[in-house]
Amino acid sequence: MEKIINDFLAQVESRNQNEPEFLQAVTEVAETVLPYIVQHDIYYGQNILLRMVEPERVVSFRVAWIDDQEKIQVNRGYRIEMNSAIGPYKGGLRFHPSVNLSVLKFLAFEQIFKNSLTTLPMGGGKGGSDFDPKGKSDTEVMRFCQSFMTELFRHIGPNRDIPAGDIGVGSREIGYLFGQYKRLKNEFTGVLTGKGVSWGGSLIRPEATGYGVVYFTENMLNHHNESIKDKTVVISGSGNVAQFAAEKCIQLGAKVLTLSDSSGYLYDAEGLNEEKLAHIMHLKNVERKRLHIYLEKYPKAAFFPNKKVWEVAGDIALPCATQNELDISDAKKLVANGCQAVGEGANMPCTPEAIAHFQSNNVLYAPGKASNAGGVAVSGLEMAQNSLRYSWTRKQVDDKLKEIMADIHTSCLHYGAGENHINYVKGANIAGFVKVADAMLAQGVV
Ligand code: NDP
């Protein structure tokens, strides 16, 4: 088996050199899915995983725009249309200086499995730009988004490819992107998700990824006769996912000790409550300030510059910032401090060595493609509401989200159950794979 995996990875590597994040994501899937393929005649010999790692289409384009000093700026835009076997391409747009082909291909590849796990009809895609919205004025962000959409619009559509938000793309950016798409196409369609509620958005979409991570973590704990109530939680990030993960933890009676941004972490020993979190949301989402400003109102808290939250002892860890933010030394600290469960809010935030350390120390570990699927799941519900020209209530969407997260957990149990423990990585990868592979086989060699 080892030879089959190594040969496969060597072939992928030779075609995708200098793409470390993409190879990392493919390796994790190959290690769990190839043994399954070998044991199942319908998949064996079909080169099915080799087809899945090759994007159906990659679009790369120039995004020129004019800044407030009237200087011409040039960024690079991308859309990776990875797999459309079970539905139109679906996945977010990321605006961050670290964006490159490797990062977007890893995200698009993960998205195939995640979208399949939701049970909704969505293929996998991802896109973005190396543009950094941080420090830009609203009009600069608008001009960038308009220029970006002026090329992207010809590649997307409500039955073809439906982007959403991700790092650096929140409701403001989705608004500008949607406005430009509508102007260019002269039509009002559900071409993006994460829209404002008054113009086609779904209730609970902003909350969905963060809430979903906590629902999944609670499912995992409940299955092991535990619960999130009264647990201490360390969360990284302070963006969309982190904020709503914190909100749901607080609602379920847990004590949230930390949040972070790229300049360091905030530690509030008393725990965040709804009022403190509302203040953080205002600072980050409205004033667009850095996290340490929190201390001006709550001086009893502490801010640790250039440090990671994983040095704080907590029962539960929810990495909600970015890829590879939690490495083996962080994992060792968490385990030594008694961490019981890790639920990934971000995509691939734990390195392979960190994951192995959690698993060998019986820490419940949920991979992002399962635990953060709530965001794209509610995006799928937003698409359904747009098609119906109808809006569901907050409770209806939240109930569906809970049900989807519970179903994903059940799928992980089905494919990931071992003799003594549940391997959620294996469970999520195989469950996600089977549905897409079956569709690809039915559709012939394309
Ligand atoms: P946001 O842009 O809202 O927030 C990102 C947060 O992560 C910020 O606090 C940011 O800090 C921090 N961060 C980003 N990059 C880095 C970095 N290189 N080093 C340290 N900190 C960093 O993004 P989201 O909350 O939407 O996304 C967070 C993660 O969740 C990503 O991995 C994303 O792919 C994943 N995800 C998001 C979904 C969604 O619905 N939004 C759905 C599924 C997954 P700073 O402000 O200082 O940059």
Side-chain angles (χ1 to χ4, degrees):
M1 196 61 238
E2 208 176 312
K3 181 168 170 6
I4 292 178
I5 295 173
N6 288 342
D7 288 352
F8 172 81
L9 291 175
Q11 196 174 353
V12 178
E13 196 169 348
S14 71
R15 269 204 195 144
N16 301 278
Q17 288 170 22
N18 306 316
E19 295 184 3
E21 293 86 0
F22 178 55
L23 293 171
Q24 184 182 333
V26 171
T27 303
E28 185 210 277
V29 168
E31 283 172 348
T32 46
V33 166
L34 282 175
Y36 183 82
I37 291 176
V38 169
Q39 287 161 9
H40 292 79
D41 289 346
I42 52 161
Y43 305 122
Y44 192 56
Q46 302 283 343
N47 266 350
I48 199 89
L49 198 57
L50 199 61
R51 286 194 256 164
M52 279 188 196
V53 300
E54 199 59 36
E56 288 177 12
R57 193 173 300 106
V58 174
V59 187
S60 165
F61 51 96
R62 181 207 309 147
V63 188
W65 56 283
I66 298 175
D67 69 17
D68 287 347
Q69 283 70 49
E70 300 196 349
K71 267 184 67 184
I72 297 170
Q73 301 288 342
V74 181
N75 287 96
R76 189 172 289 175
Y78 302 92
R79 187 72 184 162
I80 317 292
E81 297 183 333
M82 200 77 192
N83 192 301
S84 61
I86 61 167
Y89 310 106
K90 180 89 196 93
L93 295 171
R94 176 177 291 193
F95 292 169
H96 193 273
S98 63
V99 162
N100 57 35
L101 203 53
S102 172
V103 168
L104 293 182
K105 278 173 67 180
F106 115 66
L107 290 163
F109 182 66
E110 293 265 306
Q111 200 81 43
I112 303 174
F113 298 85
K114 183 189 308 193
N115 293 2
S116 165
L117 282 170
T118 66
T119 70
L120 300 173
M122 299 181 291
K126 202 82 189 190
S129 172
D130 56 1
F131 172 75
D132 187 359
K134 237 182 279 159
K136 304 286 191 302
S137 69
D138 283 353
T139 48
E140 286 178 320
V141 171
M142 182 179 75
R143 284 197 293 274
F144 173 82
C145 288
Q146 290 177 341
S147 181
F148 183 86
M149 186 52 86
T150 300
E151 173 57 33
L152 185 69
F153 90 99
R154 64 190 94 244
H155 307 289
I156 62 175
N159 293 309
R160 181 170 174 184
D161 184 352
I162 306 95
D166 190 77
I167 291 178
V169 179
S171 55
R172 174 183 60 172
E173 289 75 16
I174 292 290
Y176 295 148
L177 292 164
F178 183 79
Q180 184 71 352
Y181 181 88
K182 186 164 63 66
R183 181 158 75 159
L184 290 164
K185 294 285 283 190
N186 194 23
E187 62 183 34
F188 195 114
T189 46
V191 69
L192 290 156
T193 57
K195 300 184 291 297
V197 174
S198 62
W199 42 281
S202 174
L203 290 164
I204 299 284
R205 175 60 190 91
E207 295 88 340
T209 309
Y211 280 15
V213 178
V214 179
Y215 292 151
F216 192 93
T217 306
E218 179 73 332
N219 277 309
M220 202 164 59
L221 289 164
N222 289 168
H223 187 77
H224 294 82
N225 303 316
E226 282 281 359
S227 129
I228 206 163
K229 190 168 184 321
D230 297 327
K231 297 276 191 305
T232 50
V233 187
V234 285
I235 301 180
S236 66
S238 51
N240 171 268
V241 181
Q243 291 174 12
F244 289 105
E247 182 169 283
K248 186 50 71 181
C249 286
I250 295 166
Q251 287 172 4
L252 295 181
K255 187 173 181 181
V256 177
L257 297 173
T258 66
L259 287 174
S260 71
D261 63 18
S262 52
S263 52
Y265 78 86
L266 175 74
Y267 174 61
D268 190 328
E270 291 172 353
L272 298 178
N273 55 26
E274 284 184 5
E275 186 194 312
K276 290 173 176 177
L277 188 60
H279 181 61
I280 290 172
M281 288 186 180
H282 188 79
L283 281 181
K284 297 297 292 184
N285 308 345
V286 182
E287 296 186 35
R288 299 190 186 276
K289 292 214 167 117
R290 309 301 293 160
L291 198 53
H292 65 85
I293 303 292
Y294 177 86
L295 300 191
E296 290 177 5
K297 187 161 180 198
Y298 297 101
K300 277 202 231 157
F303 189 82
F304 295 90
N306 305 317
K307 294 272 192 187
K308 298 203 247 177
V309 298
W310 317 123
E311 60 191 27
V312 176
D315 302 315
I316 294 166
L318 304 178
C320 297
T322 194
Q323 65 271 6
N324 293 327
E325 55 162 310
L326 195 164
D327 62 20
I328 180 68
S329 65
D330 303 317
K332 283 182 178 166
K333 285 179 209 159
L334 284 168
V335 171
N337 283 328
C339 178
Q340 296 169 25
V342 178
E344 290 188 339
N347 286 307
M348 209 169 73
C350 300
T351 64
E353 298 77 22
I355 297 169
H357 191 69
F358 291 137
Q359 289 175 330
S360 60
N361 284 278
N362 296 321
V363 173
L364 299 174
Y365 164 77
K369 57 171 82 72
S371 52
N372 72 29
V376 73
V378 175
S379 276
L381 302 179
E382 181 173 331
M383 288 159 65
Q385 292 170 84
N386 290 165
S387 298
L388 292 169
R389 303 205 184 281
Y390 189 73
S391 298
W392 293 323
T393 65
R394 214 180 146 77
K395 180 166 183 327
Q396 281 174 314
V397 181
D398 197 24
D399 286 348
K400 286 184 204 294
L401 171 63
K402 274 187 206 147
E403 196 182 310
I404 290 171
M405 297 316 293
D407 287 349
I408 296 176
H409 183 260
T410 305
S411 299
C412 289
L413 296 186
H414 180 71
Y415 288 102
E419 272 179 26
N420 306 315
H421 72 294
I422 291 139
N423 183 337
Y424 284 90
V425 176
K426 181 178 163 198
N429 287 343
I430 298 176
F433 167 82
V434 165
K435 187 176 163 197
V436 179
D438 289 348
M440 287 175 73
L441 291 179
Q443 291 167 22
V445 180
V446 286

